[in-house]
Amino acid sequence: MKVICDRGALLDAVNQMSGVVAGRTSPKVQLTCVKLVAEKAAGAGRLTLMGTDGEVSLRLCLDRVDVGQPGEALIPADKLRQIVSAEDSDSTLTIESTDDSVEIRGQDARFKVLGYPAGDYPAVPGFPKADGAKTIFSHQAGSLAGLVARTLFATARENSRYAINGVLLKRDGKRLEMVATDGRRLALARASLANTEKDAHAAMCIVPSKALGTLQKLIQDGDEPVRIAITDNQVFFHLGAADEKSEGRAMMSSNLVEGAFPPYEDVIPKDQDKVASFDRDVMASAVRRAALLTNEESRGVKLSFSSGDKRVQIASRAPEMGEAEITVDLAEFKGEDIALGFNPGFITDALKVIDDPRVSIELKGSNKPGVIKVGSEFLYVVMPVSLQ
Amino acid sequence: MDAFFASVEQRDNPDLRGRPIVVGGGGRRGVVAAASYEARVFGCRAAQSTAEARRLCPHVIVVRPRMERYAAVSRAVFSILESVTPVVEPLSIDEAFLDVTGSLALFGSGEAMAARVRDRIRAELHLTASVGVAPNKFLAKLASDLRKPDALVVIRPDEVQSVLDPLPVARVFGVGPAAEARLHALGLRTLGQVRACDPKVLAARLGALGPHVYELAHGRDARPVEGGRDARGIGHEQTFAQDLREPDEALGALLDLLEHAGRRLRRAGLRARTITLKLRFPPYETITRARTLAAPSSRTDTLWEAVRGLFDDWQREDGFTPLRLLGVRLSRFSPERDEQGSLFASRDRAGLDAAADEIADRFGARSITRARTLSRPAHPRGQWGPEA
C-alpha cells in the first residue's frame, strides 16, 4: 500500500479514531490499531480508516488522497495520531506499508512503525439493507446532534437494574425521540423527521453513551444528512450520503445496550399546578453562585418561589462553612408559594442545553418532581432533594 | 468482653454459672465459638471442635449459640461505648477500639472513661469487660489482653518499653509460627531483643514483616481508630454447616445478612455508596463482587437491589455452585445529609426501614424480617457479627 494524503484531513480522521479504538491495555492488540485501506476506482483514490473497540466501530473515508498502490495496513492508533499530529510543518504525508511495518514520511522525516498483519483485523459491519433492519430513516445532522446534546448528559454512569447507561433512541412514524436518565433526573428530546418514508415502523433501542459521544464529534455540517438503521442488536449512523451505493464520509455502528429501559413515561408528571418562568442565564448564574456554599454534607440548594413579589430565592447552607442567598425575579409565576431543594448541578445541566432564553419550570410539591419544558421538543424531569 | 457468648449464657441461665461450658455447634462440623473461664482451665478454647472440647473436659456443657441474643447484648454494649466517644471501631461482635482523644475534656482521663464503661457494663448488663488504655491500637489491644478477665490495664507512654520488652515475639499480630521460628533462629525471643536488633537484619530475614515487628516492638503503631462516620465498612458474613445448594437459600441468607448490616448502617446515621458481595465455595475459594450506587443510600430495599444484582450476575456468568460462606459489606460512607429523590423507586417505602428498625430494637433482631429471609437454612454454623 502506498498513499499520499492531506495531513489536515488525516489528522481529523485519526483524532476521531483515537476516541473509538480500544485502550492501550486491551488484551486484543488489533483493537488498539487503526486499519488503513487504500483503493483506486475510476482514477480516483480513496483511503478508508477503520477502528473498533469491539462495541463501537467507526469507518471514515478520505478522498483527498493520491493512491500509488492499493492495499491494507494495521497501525497502532496512538502512534499514528502522535506522528500525524507532530508533523505539523508538512501539508501532505506519505504512508507506505510493507508486510510487517508502516512507514510515514514527511519532507524531512521518516517513521517506521511496526504494525500487525491487516488480515487479523475483525470485520467492521456494513450499513444494513432495508430487509436486515427494523427501521431505516434519514435525519438532518444538526437536529440529531441537538437531540444527543440534550440527553447524553443525563445518562447513568453506574450500573443499575435498568439499562440506563445509554440513551433510548425511538423512532415512531415521523417522530424521533431520545431519552436518558440516571434515576434521579430524566431528559427527553424530540424532533420531527422531515421526509416521511413509506417505512414508518416504530422501533427503539438503547445506544451506549460512547457511541453518541463519537457521533457528536463526527457531526460537523448541520445540513449533512445522516442515515440511521436499527437492527436487533446494533445501530448504524451513516453520514454524508443519502443513497445505499455511496460509502459516504463516515459510518459508525455500535452494539446496543441490553436490558430494559425504565418505564419513563410513567414518571413524567401530568398534574403540575405551579409554573414559574424566568431568564435562562440569570437562573443558571444564580444557581451556580448559590452552589458555592454547598459541601459534601449538604449538596442541595433550596428554591423558594413566592407569588407575592414574583421572585425565587435560591439558598444554600453548608454546615461549618456558611450560607448563600441569591434572588431572581420571575417573568411569571402561577400557583401557590412553594419551597423545595434541588441538586444545583441537575438544574444547570439542563439550562446549559436549552437554546430558548426563556425557560419555565412546573412544580407540584416539595417532594414531587419539577419539570422543565421547552415547547414540545425538550422535557426535563428532576427529582428534588429533601434538605436536612 | 470476657468469654462473651459463654458469659451471656451463664448470665441468662443460673444453672450454668460456675460450671465449664462451651458455646458451639453440636453437629458434624461443630466448632467452639466461646469457652467459659471454667472450661478454659481444662484447655477448652474457641475455634476447637466441640468433639475436642468434650475430650479435654468430659463434663463440659455444650450450649447452642443464640446469635440474636448476643447481637442484642452487643448492641447494648456498643451503645455504652458510644456514650463516651463517637469514634468506635468495632473489631468483632464483642471487641472495639475507641479513640477518646476528643472526649478527654468532657470525661477526664482515658482511665476514667474505661472505668466508667466497665462500671456501666457490669451494672446494666451484668457482664464483665477487660479494657486496655494506651497511646495506640496495638498497645491498647495488648493491654486489654494482659490480665483478662475483668481487668483494666493502663499502659502509660513511659511504661511502654518495660511492658513490651519481656513479652514473647508471638504477641505481635502478624507474627505466626513461621515468622516466630525465623525470629527464634536469629536469637530473638522477646520484644526487647527485637527492639535492640538492627532493623536491616530484620528486614533481610523477615521481608515486609521486619519493619512492622520492629515498629511494634518500640510500641509504635500509627493506625487510626476508624469509627463513626469514618468507619471503612459495615459487613456481616456467615459460614454454613451444610453448603447451600439452592439459590433461594442463599438469597434468603443474604437478605438476612443485609437486613442486619442495613440496621447497623442506619443506627450509625450513615449512607453507603458501595455494596460488596462475598461468596466462598467449598473448601476455601472466595470471590468478592462490588457495585457502586449512583447516590449513597441507607435503604434496605435499595441496597438489596444491588446485592441481588451482583448475585444474579455471578449466577449468570459463572453458574450457581454450592456455597459455604456468604457475606455482605457496605462501604464508602457518605456524610451527605440531604436525601436525593429517586424517579423509579417505590415511594411508599420511605418509612419502612425506620418502622422495622424500631420493632427490631424493641423485640429482637429477627422479630421482623422480609419474608424471603425465611428461605435461609435453619441451622447456620458460625456467627454473623461485625467482621474482624
Side-chain angles (χ1 to χ4, degrees):
Chain A
M1 182 195 86
K2 185 179 177 187
V3 60
I4 301 169
C5 19
D6 177 80
R7 176 185 161 271
L10 182 63
L11 182 59
D12 268 357
V14 171
N15 279 335
Q16 304 272 14
M17 283 295 160
S18 299
V20 171
V21 299
R24 267 183 304 177
T25 54
S26 166
K28 294 176 183 167
V29 71
Q30 283 82 12
L31 299 188
T32 66
C33 293
V34 172
K35 183 180 179 180
L36 304 173
V37 182
E39 294 163 293
K40 224 164 159 178
R46 183 168 65 200
L47 180 67
T48 305
L49 293 87
M50 287 182 235
T52 181
D53 64 351
E55 296 280 319
V56 176
S57 303
L58 178 62
R59 197 181 68 202
L60 297 172
C61 291
L62 299 183
D63 293 327
R64 276 188 284 172
V65 293
D66 184 357
V67 175
Q69 193 187 348
E72 300 182 342
L74 207 55
I75 180 170
D78 59 338
K79 277 297 152 231
L80 179 63
R81 189 185 57 76
Q82 289 164 9
I83 292 168
V84 176
S85 163
E87 283 298 294
D88 52 6
S89 59
D90 291 300
S91 59
T92 62
L93 291 172
T94 304
I95 304 176
E96 190 166 1
S97 72
T98 60
D99 284 347
D100 58 352
S101 67
V102 180
E103 214 169 88
I104 301 166
R105 289 194 298 271
Q107 272 181 320
D108 62 350
R110 184 181 72 90
F111 301 89
K112 181 175 173 180
V113 181
L114 300 181
Y116 301 92
D120 292 353
Y121 201 73
V124 172
F127 198 85
K129 300 265 186 296
D131 56 357
K134 293 203 277 190
T135 187
I136 296 181
F137 57 95
S138 274
H139 195 55
Q140 215 190 13
S143 167
L144 188 64
L147 295 183
V148 174
R150 273 177 257 146
T151 50
L152 185 56
F153 71 90
T155 55
R157 280 164 191 87
E158 295 87 2
N159 287 322
S160 104
R161 73 187 142 141
Y162 290 119
I164 53 177
N165 45 359
V167 177
L168 183 79
L169 172 70
K170 185 172 167 185
R171 185 263 165 114
D172 192 357
K174 285 189 78 164
R175 181 192 274 186
L176 182 61
E177 215 170 75
M178 283 198 185
V179 190
T181 180
D182 62 5
R184 296 161 287 165
R185 33 76 180 272
L186 178 142
L188 184 157
R190 283 193 195 108
S192 293
L193 293 173
N195 329 324
T196 334
E197 293 170 18
K198 284 175 203 158
D199 151 44
H201 294 310
M204 63 174 109
C205 64
I206 305 169
V207 187
S209 302
K210 177 178 175 175
L212 292 176
T214 305
L215 179 66
Q216 267 184 320
K217 283 184 245 159
L218 283 174
I219 292 173
Q220 286 154 358
D221 170 6
D223 294 329
E224 191 176 47
V226 181
R227 294 179 72 229
I228 301 161
I230 300 171
T231 68
D232 286 334
N233 47 25
Q234 287 192 305
V235 62
F236 297 78
F237 297 89
H238 194 183
L239 288 88
D243 64 283
E244 278 180 42
K245 285 170 197 159
S246 165
E247 284 283 328
R249 178 172 71 83
M251 214 269 293
M252 186 195 69
S253 59
S254 170
N255 292 351
L256 299 176
V257 178
E258 285 176 30
F261 203 76
Y264 68 94
E265 278 156 330
D266 299 350
V267 301
I268 299 173
K270 285 159 190 82
D271 55 350
Q272 306 292 79
D273 54 9
K274 302 166 189 69
V275 189
S277 50
F278 44 81
D279 182 273
R280 176 195 59 196
D281 297 340
V282 171
M283 179 61 96
S285 154
V287 172
R288 262 198 303 275
R289 284 181 286 152
L292 294 174
L293 285 168
T294 57
N295 65 9
E296 57 172 9
E297 279 188 50
S298 176
R299 289 182 207 279
V301 295
K302 184 177 179 182
L303 278 67
S304 308
F305 293 87
S306 73
S307 54
D309 49 7
K310 275 217 296 188
R311 277 179 174 173
V312 58
Q313 187 193 62
I314 302 154
S316 60
R317 176 173 299 172
E320 292 169 35
M321 186 192 278
E323 51 189 68
E325 267 178 33
I326 320 282
T327 308
V328 172
D329 288 325
L330 298 171
E332 220 176 317
F333 185 75
K334 282 186 229 150
E336 288 168 29
D337 290 4
I338 181 173
L340 74 175
F342 283 113
N343 176 329
F346 287 1
I347 302 295
T348 51
D349 278 353
L351 296 178
K352 259 183 246 170
V353 300
I354 292 174
D355 298 327
D356 204 319
R358 170 104 171 243
V359 176
S360 67
I361 184 166
E362 300 176 359
L363 301 164
K364 169 87 175 169
S366 59
N367 56 354
K368 302 271 192 238
V371 181
I372 294 175
K373 260 187 199 168
V374 179
S376 63
E377 71 233 29
F378 180 64
L379 179 95
Y380 185 71
V381 183
V382 54
M383 282 304 288
V385 162
S386 54
L387 299 173
Q388 293 301 303
Chain B
M1 301 301 293
D2 300 321
F4 182 51
F5 297 178
S7 300
V8 172
E9 291 302 336
Q10 289 180 316
R11 178 194 76 169
D12 289 358
N13 182 354
D15 289 346
L16 299 176
R17 287 180 203 159
R19 303 178 65 180
I21 73 162
V22 294
V23 175
R28 220 154 34 84
R29 288 197 224 162
V31 167
V32 174
S36 72
Y37 282 89
E38 296 84 343
R40 291 185 193 193
V41 172
F42 295 90
C44 301
R45 292 177 282 104
Q48 265 171 352
S49 70
T50 30
E52 171 78 352
R54 280 209 173 89
R55 197 184 58 74
L56 290 167
C57 177
H59 58 293
V60 74
I61 302 166
V62 178
V63 182
R64 278 221 168 263
R66 295 181 298 156
M67 289 298 164
E68 284 100 325
R69 184 72 182 146
Y70 312 146
V73 177
S74 170
R75 272 203 299 277
V77 172
F78 273 85
S79 70
I80 291 174
L81 300 183
E82 280 156 10
S83 72
V84 297
T85 172
V87 191
V88 177
E89 179 186 344
L91 195 59
S92 68
I93 194 167
D94 66 336
E95 281 180 292
F97 289 114
L98 281 69
D99 182 345
V100 297
T101 319
S103 311
L104 290 172
L106 201 58
F107 294 110
S109 65
E111 188 178 343
M113 276 182 266
R116 184 189 172 98
V117 162
R118 275 166 38 83
D119 287 348
R120 280 193 62 187
I121 290 173
R122 193 197 323 272
E124 294 171 32
L125 305 174
H126 308 286
L127 291 169
T128 63
S130 293
V131 181
V133 180
N136 61 47
K137 281 164 92 168
F138 165 58
L139 293 170
K141 166 85 169 133
L142 187 91
S144 74
D145 287 336
L146 276 179
R147 291 212 304 273
K148 262 175 175 285
D150 199 12
L152 167 55
V153 176
V154 182
I155 302 181
R156 289 176 222 289
D158 58 347
E159 298 171 320
V160 170
Q161 293 313 336
S162 58
V163 173
L164 286 180
D165 284 355
L167 293 176
V169 290
R171 287 301 285 271
V172 171
F173 65 94
V175 174
E180 189 183 12
R182 259 178 282 163
L183 285 165
H184 285 181
L186 290 169
L188 306 175
R189 293 184 168 271
T190 66
L191 291 177
Q193 290 167 329
V194 172
R195 186 159 67 92
C197 180
D198 183 347
K200 285 179 196 139
V201 173
L202 285 175
R205 297 300 297 269
L206 295 173
L209 195 60
H212 170 78
V213 176
Y214 185 76
E215 284 299 295
L216 294 183
H218 284 79
R220 296 192 286 251
D221 176 10
R223 294 172 301 153
V225 175
E226 287 166 328
R229 294 202 156 176
D230 300 317
R232 270 189 185 157
I234 289 178
H236 284 291
E237 56 184 60
Q238 188 168 33
T239 307
F240 297 91
Q242 304 277 336
D243 298 332
L244 305 186
R245 297 185 175 278
E246 295 297 327
D248 256 3
E249 279 186 325
L251 285 168
L254 277 172
L255 181 52
D256 184 54
L257 293 168
L258 178 70
E259 283 190 331
H260 290 103
R263 199 161 287 148
R264 283 183 58 211
L265 183 74
R266 291 187 291 274
R267 202 148 42 86
L270 297 171
R271 287 155 203 250
R273 282 199 77 130
T274 301
I275 293 95
T276 308
L277 171 70
K278 180 171 172 182
L279 303 172
R280 178 170 298 158
F281 318 109
Y284 292 112
E285 193 205 339
T286 308
I287 62 165
T288 57
R289 300 276 176 96
R291 181 172 282 191
T292 296
L293 301 174
S297 178
S298 62
R299 293 243 194 114
T300 296
D301 283 346
T302 308
L303 301 170
W304 174 242
E305 208 177 89
V307 174
R308 180 75 216 244
L310 288 166
F311 187 85
D312 289 348
D313 286 351
W314 164 70
Q315 270 202 100
R316 194 176 55 246
E317 286 159 24
D318 298 0
F320 182 87
T321 52
L323 294 159
R324 177 157 299 176
L325 173 148
L326 295 172
V328 168
R329 183 179 163 81
L330 309 173
S331 59
R332 276 190 67 198
F333 299 135
S334 164
E336 200 172 333
R337 295 194 280 185
D338 304 338
E339 169 104 39
Q340 167 67 54
S342 170
L343 279 167
F344 306 107
S346 30
R347 277 151 227 226
D348 51 341
R349 296 206 146 182
L352 181 65
D353 287 326
D357 287 352
E358 207 169 305
I359 292 168
D361 283 346
R362 195 176 304 175
F363 301 106
R366 291 205 171 101
S367 56
I368 177 161
T369 180
R370 285 166 177 76
R372 179 183 273 286
T373 66
L374 301 177
S375 66
R376 76 196 152 84
H379 296 295
R381 183 194 79 169
Q383 64 195 66
W384 60 260
E387 61 193 287

